[in-house]
Amino acid sequence: MRVVVSVGGSVLAPDLDPDRVAAYAAALDEAVEAGHEIGVVVGGGPVAREYIEAARELDTTEVELDRLGIGVTHLNARLLRAALDAPSARTDGYEASVEAMAAGRIPVMGGVAPGQTTDAVAAALAEDARADLLLFATSVDGVYDVDPTADGEAVRFDELTPGELVDVVAPMSRSAGASAPVDLLAAKLVERAGLRALVVDGIDPETVRRAIVDGEFDGTEIR
Ligand code: UTP
């Protein structure tokens, strides 16, 4: 199976813990050993947020803030790559990443352009690579009707169509400090390409290995 994994910075590097990064790399290595083609896109997490918040006080542009975030995603991508056993490639472009996957290497991307997040990068890569599965490893265990951290009554969806995903995340993405588990552009790309996607809690990297290798998951399936 060809799989693109979006690894949120908040699950890969909530702090700079080499054991956590090594455990993530081991889960991805095991998926490759099991015969799967894997592409990875890594987020910026709390460090990106800290840079963005500091720079926002300095009266710079939103695009420049995004560039800072992108820079941190690239640092996290390098960190993960350092821990992988499987041959990897830190690429900046979709085409190079698709080629790397076809050649049996794990491309590890970060952000590519201002105005979006790495969720959208992962969705575009999944479409470009004609991936069988797009796996969002995030800090929530699926897609809810409202933000579960703000509303105790929030209900999780076990399954959504891509169109339903767009409808659910669109209102969440409008608010500041967006609470959407998957960003709106990513949802639209999933819809456009008709991708099969899973949103799972990626805090434990075993979740990622199990979803890819064993086909078992606890989260929201988009198909
Ligand atoms: P993330 O993809 O990590 O954003 O990119 P996020 O979803 O807010 O954070 P986590 O990791 O899931 O917790 C970090 C920041 O980098 C910029 C954006 O500013 C984003 O908020 N970015 C990232 C871009 O501008 N373009 C990209 O392609 C990727």
Side-chain angles (χ1 to χ4, degrees):
M1 192 162 62
R2 185 173 274 197
V3 185
V4 171
V5 189
S6 173
V7 182
S10 46
V11 301
L12 179 73
D15 46 22
L16 280 181
D17 175 3
D19 291 339
R20 161 164 287 278
V21 178
Y24 241 101
L28 296 165
D29 281 332
E30 280 184 47
V32 170
E33 277 161 30
H36 301 286
E37 287 180 17
I38 307 292
V40 183
V41 183
V42 179
V47 177
R49 229 161 287 135
E50 273 184 51
Y51 266 89
I52 288 170
E53 278 164 23
R56 189 167 270 134
E57 301 292 316
L58 302 173
D59 192 28
T60 185
T61 64
E62 289 293 319
V63 169
E64 190 59 18
L65 299 182
D66 283 340
R67 289 193 191 108
L68 283 171
I70 291 169
V72 176
T73 67
H74 290 179
L75 290 177
N76 283 341
R78 283 191 188 280
L79 194 62
L80 178 62
R81 217 189 136 194
L84 284 166
D85 279 339
S88 67
R90 211 209 64 76
T91 67
D92 289 325
Y94 296 115
E95 287 181 275
S97 293
V98 174
E99 281 166 20
M101 283 170 89
R105 296 195 304 277
I106 302 183
V108 186
M109 294 182 73
V112 298
Q116 58 177 40
T117 76
T118 48
D119 289 341
V121 179
L125 177 59
E127 179 180 7
D128 207 14
R130 298 177 186 277
D132 303 293
L133 176 65
L134 168 59
L135 181 59
F136 290 104
T138 72
S139 50
V140 280
D141 64 351
V143 181
Y144 286 76
D145 57 348
V146 289
D147 181 1
T149 59
D151 186 341
E153 307 281 292
V155 177
R156 190 179 77 177
F157 299 103
D158 292 334
E159 276 184 29
L160 288 170
T161 65
E164 287 169 341
L165 177 69
V166 171
D167 291 342
V168 170
V169 301
M172 298 178 185
S173 306
R174 264 179 234 126
S175 56
S179 57
V182 171
D183 82 32
L184 181 59
L185 177 57
K188 286 186 169 173
L189 291 171
V190 166
E191 183 185 32
R192 185 178 78 169
L195 293 165
R196 176 173 177 247
L198 297 177
V199 180
V200 297
D201 181 347
I203 288 292
D204 180 359
E206 168 62 11
T207 313
V208 168
R209 190 207 62 78
R210 211 155 51 89
I212 300 171
V213 178
D214 304 331
E216 289 171 11
F217 60 91
D218 177 29
T220 300
E221 178 169 21
I222 294 107
R223 63 184 316 161

